[in-house]
Amino acid sequence: MKVTKTTSLSVTLVPERDFKEFSTSSNNILATVFYGRETSTSAPKDYLQIPVSLPQVGNEPLVEVWTSSLRHEVNQYENIYYAANSEMVFGSISFKETKNDGLEKLAFRAYKEVFEFLDQKQFPYLVRCWNYFPNINQVTNGIERYKLFCSGRHDAFSEKYQAIHNHLPAASAVGSQSGPLTINFIAARNHSGSHIENPRQVSAYQYPMVYGKRSPSFARATYMDWGSSKHLYLAGTASIIGHKSCHLENPLMQSQEIQKNLDSLLNNCASVMNKDVEKLEIEDASIVKTYIKDVALFPLIKDAMEEQMTGVESKLYLIGDICRKELLLEVEGVWSVNSLD
Ligand code: 3EB
């Protein structure tokens, strides 16, 4: 695999009050994500600005900032706002539900449009997806909304790909308090990432039917070599062993189980990634996001996370519903990878 050595992508959290200074200094911002905001995604800027309606909890408001070494353009394609350079695109699509256009249909349509966009603009490789929509655990006509979402997404992936599991990127699906269905994504032009599973967990795309007629379309992790920066994107990771939720109603034990899942996933990533000749080492995470179902659990979960991840500076805590109603939190992040050669 040949990659341009100078291409980079980085992610960090910047306090909102320092953001202006950050953005006017030499940083080449590709995209920003503002959590807890309702304002619409805007195009006429030097970078993509995406609001996500999940409230932040913690000391001071933070902005998630993605920077890249390459020159990019910001534009709109149908319902997709994006920032693209020669190697990568950061995009966002939002659809409002109506009586006639329910969640399943919209998830299908949104992913179809993302695939069409990626074809048109020649970014064939999805690297990471984030899915947000309200009332994720609500049951309508006997089916939970998360399952409807999974059906629509699955249908779009199956229409696009024959063996879909080879193409599924790391993802998160989190319940917002309000707002449209929003899908944020990163895709690559020249290299596909490697999608990696967790030996402690059944692959989500192989979950039994009790979790929905169509399985969730995501990988546990995606490794991407951008060139000078290499990233491991870990999907939303919950207290699930095999395919079963564990430690119901116990946030501390769920946190600890999540840590075991992250450790096992990172170990598996290290061994999969080192099958090539290049020797790679996983560093501390660049950013870790914890989604918490109930704000009352924040102090306890924060303590657990701070203890478990002492080396990680950029931690963000967001209030959101987890896609199984018995789960109290979920953790995702981006881990930097170094070449030892
Ligand atoms: C799980 O492991 C927990 O549907 O895109 C985590 C990450 C979860 C992504 C998704 C769902 C998704 O099944 C839920």
Side-chain angles (χ1 to χ4, degrees):
M1 185 156 97
K2 210 171 169 302
V3 290
T4 315
K5 286 290 180 208
T6 51
T7 306
S8 72
L9 179 66
S10 308
V11 58
T12 189
L13 294 171
V14 178
E16 258 192 60
R17 63 181 159 83
D18 300 336
F19 179 71
K20 215 183 172 108
E21 197 190 320
F22 184 93
S23 65
T24 50
S25 60
S26 59
N27 300 295
N28 185 24
I29 300 178
L30 186 68
T32 57
V33 189
F34 285 82
Y35 295 93
R37 293 295 183 79
E38 305 278 336
T39 53
S40 61
T41 307
S42 46
K45 271 260 166 31
D46 325 341
Y47 54 86
L48 186 69
Q49 206 177 330
I50 307 170
V52 169
S53 65
L54 298 182
Q56 298 185 36
V57 274
N59 294 336
E60 59 175 337
L62 303 168
V63 191
E64 180 183 304
V65 184
W66 294 81
T67 55
S68 172
S69 54
L70 302 173
R71 281 171 48 82
H72 63 263
E73 64 148 351
V74 181
N75 216 330
Q76 186 181 357
Y77 173 94
E78 294 180 7
N79 298 290
I80 296 170
Y81 291 98
Y82 67 92
N85 60 36
S86 58
E87 295 295 319
M88 64 191 75
V89 60
F90 202 116
S92 181
I93 183 167
S94 286
F95 279 138
K96 261 206 193 83
E97 289 171 59
T98 64
K99 242 214 204 108
N100 288 328
D101 294 326
L103 184 60
E104 181 172 0
K105 221 192 250 184
L106 289 187
F108 176 73
R109 213 181 279 161
Y111 271 96
K112 285 268 287 186
E113 198 170 308
V114 170
F115 293 140
E116 188 194 294
F117 165 77
L118 297 176
D119 274 348
Q120 284 286 324
K121 301 289 172 191
Q122 295 177 293
F123 293 101
Y125 306 112
L126 267 180
V127 172
R128 182 61 166 100
C129 290
W130 292 267
N131 307 280
Y132 302 108
F133 55 93
N135 307 313
I136 193 167
N137 303 132
Q138 190 178 295
V139 176
T140 50
N141 303 323
I143 307 177
E144 193 186 31
R145 278 164 57 78
Y146 174 60
K147 294 178 181 172
L148 294 173
F149 167 79
C150 283
S151 284
R153 175 175 60 175
H154 190 281
D155 288 349
F157 271 99
S158 339
E159 231 184 66
K160 171 82 183 158
Y161 299 112
Q162 286 193 335
I164 74 167
H165 67 273
N166 294 327
H167 302 274
L168 300 176
S172 308
V174 180
S176 53
Q177 294 178 339
S178 60
L181 165 68
T182 297
I183 300 165
N184 299 332
F185 58 91
I186 299 174
R189 171 158 290 158
N190 291 311
H191 310 281
S192 90
S194 314
H195 307 303
I196 305 171
E197 293 300 305
N198 190 340
R200 281 186 106 232
Q201 299 186 299
V202 172
S203 297
Y205 53 80
Q206 290 175 333
Y207 278 169
M209 295 262 264
V210 286
Y211 301 106
K213 178 176 76 154
R214 296 279 179 265
S215 55
S217 309
F218 71 96
R220 297 294 176 193
T222 298
Y223 169 63
M224 186 65 196
D225 186 347
W226 294 110
S228 70
S229 59
K230 306 171 200 317
H231 279 165
L232 199 46
Y233 299 90
L234 265 54
T237 302
S239 176
I240 295 173
I241 307 180
H243 56 74
K244 293 207 171 98
S245 304
C246 305
H247 316 301
L248 313 189
E249 286 159 33
N250 189 329
L252 185 58
M253 290 186 70
Q254 286 196 15
S255 306
Q256 291 161 350
E257 205 59 59
I258 287 170
Q259 192 57 52
K260 288 188 194 161
N261 277 337
L262 295 173
D263 290 345
S264 131
L265 179 54
L266 289 168
N267 280 330
N268 195 43
C269 289
S271 73
V272 170
M273 287 154 42
N274 279 305
K275 290 222 166 82
D276 285 342
V277 268
E278 190 179 17
K279 285 287 153 271
L280 299 166
E281 179 183 59
I282 304 172
E283 305 253 282
D284 281 333
S286 309
I287 178 174
V288 168
K289 282 186 272 180
T290 304
Y291 301 98
I292 304 173
K293 189 186 175 85
D294 180 353
V295 67
L297 301 175
F298 169 61
L300 187 150
I301 288 173
K302 186 185 178 189
D303 283 353
M305 288 299 297
E306 298 295 328
E307 196 178 312
Q308 287 168 17
M309 299 205 179
T310 42
V312 183
E313 264 176 54
S314 288
K315 299 196 198 71
L316 185 61
Y317 299 90
L318 301 168
I319 303 304
D321 291 326
I322 314 306
C323 60
R324 294 185 186 182
K325 63 180 185 320
E326 68 275 16
L327 295 174
L328 304 169
L329 73 150
E330 182 175 302
V331 177
E332 62 153 84
V334 181
W335 271 253
S336 291
V337 174
N338 262 339
S339 174
L340 299 176
D341 292 351

